Amino acid sequence: MANESIITCLPLATFKEKQKDRDGGQRVFTVSPIRVDFYRLLRMITPPLLIPEVQNTDVLCTVVALYDVCLPEVGPEDVHSTVYSPGASTILLVRDEKEVLEEYRQRTLSHRENETIPQQPADTRDEEHQGRFSLAFSDTEGSLEEGEESGEDSDREDWERFNGGVNEFLLKVIDRRVQRRKAQENREILPSAIGIESRIVAAATYELKRLKSGEKVLQLALLSTRKRYRGCGMGRYLLELLKDHSVCGSYDALLVHADRDAVEFFARCGFSDDIILNSKFSQFEDDWTNTQMMCYLPAFSSGKDGPSSGLSLNLSELELEMELWRVKSLAAYQAQAVCMTRLAQEVATLRKQLVSQREQIDTLSTELEREREDRHQLERKFLDYRLEKTRQILQMSNISLAPLSISSDEDSVESSLTKAGGQREVIEAVGTQGTCTGEMYSVPCSSTPLDPGSNV
């Protein structure tokens, strides 16, 4: 049961070669799609063979070589860390060995392989060699461009272990090429001259991830097809396998980082490069550099064979409606963005005005407090002034009540005070009758205070 989840063989698929043969027809060939988890497979104690009579490490080397030659800007170490990583799965398209052998035997001398026998590679695990893996695909059946090997430190232990077996794999490749060259003239090519590098024609590596919102995203990391088999529909076929939920499991979106040259291809396969739509997957935006992030959203009924409703959808009209909707949605988004931007500017302006008004209020409050303090001081001084005047009047009143020198004729004094009608008149009347001094007279004044204006 565990092996079934690590290795899954899918139904056979048939393709036609793009190049025509001598008779003007297109040669038909068959491939076996195989889904494999290299990380779990190679860590098993007794792993099953992925391909009969082929070591699993040789299959991994062939896949890395295919990606490295087709995607030279990635680098073999990054390719290896992507293919041989936890959670990553790879779908391989493998040709039948007998079919490839028969194809080699049918080649005429005019189509002889034009290749030179390369020298045995030196054991330099820490050195990088330009076109190192191109040895596996440099014959005429591949005609692939050489790739440049480069990479940064990532999972160095697994990389060193893999790199140690690369030279052994390349020696096998060279030996098989020598056998084919020697046996080509008499067309007696033995099965031992056909290696796994002649059978794997395309591969796709993907990984199931999750968004922060919890939605499942199937991220296509690597996709390559050998140069000879490009244009046969293999890339589109691999994408169709990835879209099939029965192959890769259920997911909410299929994500890919496409090179600039591959954007049009993925667009034809149903992927969208809409900026607003792909902003939903911004957390995966930096996984690959110099690429365009594109996504494919499956139908609600993906993986389900529903009954035919008898309705015929006009796809051209549907695509036109989608395009109009996209334009209108973009215009609506732009209008909303303009409105929100202007509202933000309005809020910023109001905040500035509010700050200015608060500063003016603080200034006026300070001035008001200062005015209140000044008024309080003035009122206090005024009260002190009134108090001082009152004290002076009282002191004058006390002076008028002091011992006075009065004549014996009390009636004249009483008459004088009554006529005066006040304190000052009393003092003046007393002054006319006698002088008020500090001396004591024989007849003291009454100790009862006089009420100014009253009759004595």
Side-chain angles (χ1 to χ4, degrees), residues 54 142 194 197 256 263 322 388-389 439:
V54 179
I194 306 301
E197 72 278 0
V256 63
V263 171
M322 287 293 296
E388 182 66 24
K389 289 298 182 180
E439 298 178 357

Side-chain angles (χ1 to χ4, degrees), residues 40-51:
R40 295 171 58 191
L41 177 65
L42 298 180
R43 288 181 178 269
M44 297 178 63
I45 299 177
T46 56
L49 290 179
L50 177 60
I51 298 176

Side-chain angles (χ1 to χ4, degrees), residues 16 77 85 218 300:
K16 292 183 179 180
E77 188 171 350
S85 64
L218 190 70
F300 293 105

Side-chain angles (χ1 to χ4, degrees), residues 235-280:
R236 184 183 294 272
Y237 173 72
L238 287 173
L239 292 179
E240 292 298 326
L241 291 179
L242 295 177
K243 294 177 182 179
D244 190 349
H245 288 192
S246 63
V247 177
C248 305
S250 62
Y251 56 83
D252 299 300
L254 175 58
L255 194 65
V256 63
H257 290 78
D259 295 334
R260 294 181 178 179
D261 298 337
V263 171
E264 184 178 354
F265 165 74
F266 284 104
R268 292 197 304 267
C269 295
F271 286 77
S272 173
D273 60 349
D274 187 86
I275 298 177
I276 302 176
L277 180 60
N278 286 280
S279 63
K280 180 179 181 180

Side-chain angles (χ1 to χ4, degrees), residues 412-422 425-426 429-430 450 454 456:
S412 61
V413 173
E414 181 178 355
S415 177
S416 299
L417 291 174
T418 301
K419 293 179 179 180
E425 286 79 5
V426 173
V430 174
L450 298 176
S454 61
V456 179

Side-chain angles (χ1 to χ4, degrees), residues 68 72-79 128-129 148-152 159:
D68 180 57
E73 66 278 0
V74 178
E77 188 171 350
D78 290 336
V79 168
E128 298 179 351
H129 302 276
E148 181 178 357
E149 180 176 354
S150 61
E152 300 176 357
W159 167 250

Side-chain angles (χ1 to χ4, degrees), residues 139-202:
D139 52 8
T140 55
E141 72 177 46
S143 301
L144 299 178
E145 299 175 356
E146 295 184 351
E148 181 178 357
E149 180 176 354
S150 61
E152 300 176 357
D153 293 337
S154 173
D155 296 333
R156 295 298 303 178
E157 183 178 352
D158 293 335
W159 167 250
E160 291 295 340
R161 189 184 303 111
F162 168 79
N163 203 22
V166 170
N167 289 326
E168 181 180 355
F169 167 72
L170 294 178
L171 288 175
K172 295 179 182 178
V173 173
I174 294 173
D175 181 66
R176 287 190 284 265
R177 290 173 61 187
V178 172
Q179 293 182 37
R180 293 196 300 269
R181 182 177 179 83
K182 291 181 178 180
Q184 186 180 12
E185 293 184 359
N186 52 15
R187 300 183 184 178
E188 294 296 332
I189 300 179
L190 300 177
S192 59
I194 306 301
I196 187 62
E197 72 278 0
S198 300
R199 300 174 58 188
I200 295 181
V201 294

